[in-house]
Amino acid sequence: MVKHFLYDITHFDSKFFDSIKFLLLKPGFLPQEYMRGRRASYLNPVKKYVFTSAIFFLLFFTFFLDEGAVKFSLSGPLSTEDRMAFINRINAEYSKDTGSVKWQAARLLIKDSTRKLTYDDILPYAEEMKPVKFGKRSYMTVQEYDSVQKALSASERDNWFLQKAYRKTLQIREKYKNDTNEALNKLRDGFLHRLPYILFVSLPLFALILKLLYFRHRQLFYVDHGIFTIYHYIFSFILLLVFFSLNKLNNYLNWEFINILGAIIFLSGGFYLYKSMKNFYKQRRAKTVIKFLLLNMAGLVMMVLLFAVFVLFSVFEI
């Protein structure tokens, strides 16, 4: 992949530009040409996918991703109920130990009734961690959980999945204590940097959905649907680059026209997919519309499941 990427950067020729021209202006044309064996005149679709995806994610993480927009923060102002509970707790703790520097500082914090307390303000005074209850038992640490599990008979122990889930819950709790913000943002970072893998894994699954939708097309093999999918993903990368570029530009210009243009460009992706399907699979408009809708619904379910799986992976690595 690295070899193809470097080669494509340093060896732009007519194949690349011809391929882009046909890809953008003639939906479904390039996968048809590939099926017919006319491949020498166009850049290899796999090489093009590697190149466009690498450029897309490089620009996405460098310029387009606004970390502040997807940053988790639980530092908003306390609700009236939480503020009162915090004040009562401080007064109770201070009454137990009037010489405590910690609770003296806390009392100074709450004396200013005009100040809006946030969850970040009370984090240093959060209660000590309490045991986590799993089923009928409560645990403080992973070591405690492991020792209890070893002492139980094989039939009484938690199954493999529950052991993994419970141990990870206790590990996260021990690692981040009461700092929920840090844990959520670590999860966010892990998930965002798995986006290239999510799309790569989704590619053969998308092709499988097409294979099932067009199962009566005996002349089309699974690889043909795969080639169609690769070209569609390449187009999607280019479309999203234009869309994100317009959004970035509008952050400085703030023109309503750019918002409208961005929305049109984004929605044009759906029309492009419909035209590609109609031109490539050669079916009537009504059948193509039905299969287009089914493809989008199945694709949405597929992406939701993939997102859930990769979120789970991210949880197990924070």
Side-chain angles (χ1 to χ4, degrees), residues 250-274:
N250 204 34
N251 289 339
Y252 303 101
L253 300 179
N254 198 23
W255 291 352
E256 185 63 26
F257 167 74
I258 295 180
N259 284 331
I260 296 172
L261 180 60
I264 293 172
I265 289 174
F266 186 79
L267 293 174
S268 68
F271 178 74
Y272 180 92
L273 177 57
Y274 160 77

Side-chain angles (χ1 to χ4, degrees), residues 81-98:
E81 295 79 7
D82 287 345
R83 184 185 178 97
M84 289 305 301
F86 179 57
I87 291 173
N88 292 335
R89 179 166 175 266
I90 287 176
N91 290 330
E93 294 292 343
Y94 179 75
S95 64
K96 296 176 186 176
D97 184 6
T98 56

Side-chain angles (χ1 to χ4, degrees), residues 31-251:
Q32 276 185 327
E33 291 288 277
Y34 192 93
M35 280 180 55
R36 293 166 181 161
R38 301 170 186 168
R39 304 170 188 176
S41 302
Y42 312 105
L43 190 65
N44 181 279
V46 176
K47 289 173 64 177
K48 195 186 301 182
Y49 175 86
V50 171
F51 179 73
T52 52
S53 64
I55 291 296
F56 172 79
F57 283 109
L58 176 65
L59 294 175
F60 177 76
F61 287 116
T62 306
F63 299 108
F64 299 137
L65 180 61
D66 184 0
E67 293 197 1
V70 291
K71 186 175 182 179
F72 292 102
S73 178
L74 302 178
S75 60
L78 290 174
S79 64
T80 304
E81 295 79 7
D82 287 345
R83 184 185 178 97
M84 289 305 301
F86 179 57
I87 291 173
N88 292 335
R89 179 166 175 266
I90 287 176
N91 290 330
E93 294 292 343
Y94 179 75
S95 64
K96 296 176 186 176
D97 184 6
T98 56
S100 170
V101 175
K102 174 181 177 181
W103 298 116
Q104 287 176 3
R107 280 172 61 83
L108 290 175
L109 182 67
I110 64 174
K111 277 184 178 180
D112 186 359
S113 58
T114 62
R115 175 175 176 174
K116 288 186 177 181
L117 291 177
T118 68
Y119 289 96
D120 279 345
D121 291 331
I122 70 171
L123 187 61
Y125 309 100
E127 294 184 72
E128 295 298 321
M129 293 190 300
K130 296 178 180 179
V132 180
K133 190 173 184 179
F134 300 137
K136 297 179 180 179
R137 296 183 175 87
S138 298
Y139 307 94
M140 283 291 293
T141 64
V142 176
Q143 290 76 12
E144 182 182 351
Y145 176 78
D146 288 341
S147 64
V148 170
Q149 288 295 303
K150 288 179 181 178
L152 295 173
S153 63
S155 60
E156 292 178 309
R157 292 174 190 165
D158 296 325
N159 60 46
W160 178 86
F161 179 79
L162 288 179
Q163 286 189 29
K164 290 289 184 182
Y166 292 162
R167 293 184 84 259
K168 192 60 190 179
T169 301
L170 291 168
Q171 285 173 358
I172 292 174
R173 185 169 170 274
E174 287 182 68
K175 183 176 181 180
Y176 296 102
K177 303 289 189 290
N178 295 305
D179 196 348
T180 308
N181 287 343
E182 185 181 357
L184 289 175
N185 286 309
K186 286 287 186 182
L187 176 62
R188 173 212 62 189
D189 292 340
F191 178 76
L192 284 176
H193 286 90
R194 282 180 173 81
L195 284 177
Y197 304 108
I198 294 175
L199 290 178
F200 187 75
V201 171
S202 72
L203 197 153
L205 297 176
F206 193 89
L208 178 60
I209 296 171
L210 285 170
K211 176 66 176 175
L212 296 174
L213 287 174
Y214 291 97
F215 69 95
R216 291 186 178 179
H217 283 56
R218 304 294 183 185
Q219 74 278 16
L220 292 177
F221 298 99
Y222 174 75
V223 69
D224 299 318
H225 301 289
I227 295 299
F228 176 90
T229 302
I230 288 173
Y231 277 115
H232 176 63
Y233 274 43
I234 294 169
F235 172 81
S236 299
F237 285 134
I238 296 172
L239 184 79
L240 288 173
L241 277 177
V242 176
F243 176 75
F244 287 135
S245 297
L246 287 173
N247 275 350
K248 199 71 173 178
L249 177 63
N250 204 34
N251 289 339

Side-chain angles (χ1 to χ4, degrees), residues 205-206 208-215 273-274 277 283 285-303:
L205 297 176
F206 193 89
L208 178 60
I209 296 171
L210 285 170
K211 176 66 176 175
L212 296 174
L213 287 174
Y214 291 97
F215 69 95
L273 177 57
Y274 160 77
M277 293 172 65
Q283 287 191 330
R285 184 177 301 171
K287 278 190 174 182
T288 304
V289 168
I290 292 172
K291 291 185 178 181
F292 169 79
L293 295 174
L294 291 173
L295 176 63
N296 279 274
M297 287 189 289
L300 178 61
V301 172
M302 173 195 71
M303 292 305 296

Side-chain angles (χ1 to χ4, degrees), residues 4-19:
H4 285 316
F5 177 70
L6 294 175
Y7 181 87
D8 289 340
I9 288 179
T10 56
H11 292 77
F12 281 113
D13 55 21
S14 60
K15 284 185 181 182
F16 178 84
F17 295 106
D18 285 346
S19 298

